[in-house]
Amino acid sequence: EVSTDDPEMAFCTLANREELNPEEDSVHHCLYQFTRNETLTETNRLLCDVCTQRHCGPKNNISEKKCVYTNAKKQMLISLAPPILTLHLKRFQQAGFNLQKVNRHIKFPEVIDLAPFCTAKCKNVAEGNTKVLYSLYGVVEHSGTMRSGHYTAYVKMRAMNNHLSDLVLRGQSQASETEPVKGQWFHISDTHVQPVSVSKVLSSQAYLLFYERLL
């Protein structure tokens, strides 16, 4: 059962989604598609308790055949902005009776704004804020096939992010940074570790993305 004090705000976001125009094969496009507004009709209609009781009377007199189903709208949005954002990309698809790995590059930014994917009343976001920013600090990459392969990682060595503890312990922070957290990126493969540029990181075939809250 889902309820809200203000139904008119149920499908509102912190920032305007329609201004995004996300590029295909990007994390922004993935998030936009995942949080899009869906219409539930025909066999997907929802059982409406209010409509059923209005039509049939008290709940204890209702049989399954008398239940009233109604068209509805559905949208999945973020209601609580986490201190650490982990994005898991689906890198497989059905190919006949088999699963096939998706190898194409998915673009992802060094700083991402979650505001277009958050509810208008998102918790732990200060009133009036129209941005919810995160800075990239880790990437897991997979090479190979669905049957075998190798995992490597990109990690940013950086100064401690002091306001994350405020977010974890108190659910809020006074931080106001809007730029990526400064640091040096490293590529890690088994026992081999070497420094790399941010352009090398952003061109990787990401499987897992790790972001820390900026704003």
Side-chain angles (χ1 to χ4, degrees):
E1 182 179 343
V2 180
S3 62
T4 176
D5 294 333
D6 187 359
E8 294 298 324
M9 298 292 291
F11 297 96
C12 294
T13 52
L14 280 175
N16 191 348
R17 291 168 55 84
E18 303 312 314
E19 295 179 356
L20 271 180
N21 192 24
E23 184 180 358
E24 285 197 28
D25 291 339
S26 69
V27 164
H28 280 103
H29 189 260
C30 294
L31 288 169
Y32 186 86
Q33 290 293 99
F34 187 76
T35 58
R36 73 187 186 279
N37 195 317
E38 300 178 58
T39 302
L40 305 178
T41 60
E42 299 180 354
T43 56
N44 290 321
R45 291 183 302 168
L46 291 185
L47 170 62
C48 179
D49 290 335
V50 175
C51 300
T52 300
Q53 291 181 41
R54 185 184 299 138
H55 185 264
C56 303
K59 202 168 187 178
N60 54 4
N61 294 329
I62 298 173
S63 67
E64 187 175 344
K65 292 183 179 180
K66 293 182 180 179
C67 290
V68 177
Y69 292 83
T70 183
N71 294 340
K73 290 194 299 182
K74 169 190 171 185
Q75 187 174 27
M76 297 180 67
L77 295 171
I78 298 167
S79 62
L80 177 67
I84 299 297
L85 173 68
T86 304
L87 299 178
H88 184 181
L89 302 182
K90 181 182 176 182
R91 285 221 168 260
F92 64 89
Q93 63 186 7
Q94 193 76 31
F97 293 102
N98 299 314
L99 290 177
Q100 184 178 26
K101 187 184 173 187
V102 177
N103 287 309
R104 68 176 177 272
H105 176 65
I106 302 298
K107 296 180 181 178
F108 55 94
E110 193 175 0
V111 172
I112 191 169
D113 184 6
L114 280 193
F117 317 111
C118 293
T119 64
K121 294 184 177 181
C122 188
K123 301 169 185 175
N124 72 2
V125 175
E127 187 175 352
N129 275 12
T130 56
K131 290 184 179 293
V132 183
L133 301 180
Y134 289 82
S135 177
L136 184 71
Y137 74 89
V139 179
V140 173
E141 184 178 40
H142 178 267
S143 59
T145 66
M146 292 291 294
R147 293 182 177 274
S148 64
H150 180 58
Y151 289 96
T152 58
Y154 293 90
V155 179
K156 180 190 280 188
M157 188 176 72
R158 62 212 185 282
M160 183 179 296
N161 191 338
N162 294 318
H163 79 274
L164 282 180
S165 60
D166 295 334
L167 282 168
V168 172
L169 297 175
R170 291 188 287 274
Q172 58 185 357
S173 171
Q174 301 301 317
S176 59
E177 295 94 339
T178 58
E179 297 297 322
V181 176
K182 294 181 180 179
Q184 172 64 55
W185 281 96
F186 290 89
H187 182 234
I188 303 169
S189 177
D190 293 334
T191 59
H192 302 282
V193 179
Q194 61 179 353
V196 293
S197 64
V198 65
S199 60
K200 173 70 173 177
V201 176
L202 297 179
S203 65
S204 65
Q205 194 182 107
Y207 179 57
L208 288 168
L209 296 168
F210 299 90
Y211 289 86
E212 58 185 325
R213 181 91 173 265
L214 284 177
L215 178 66

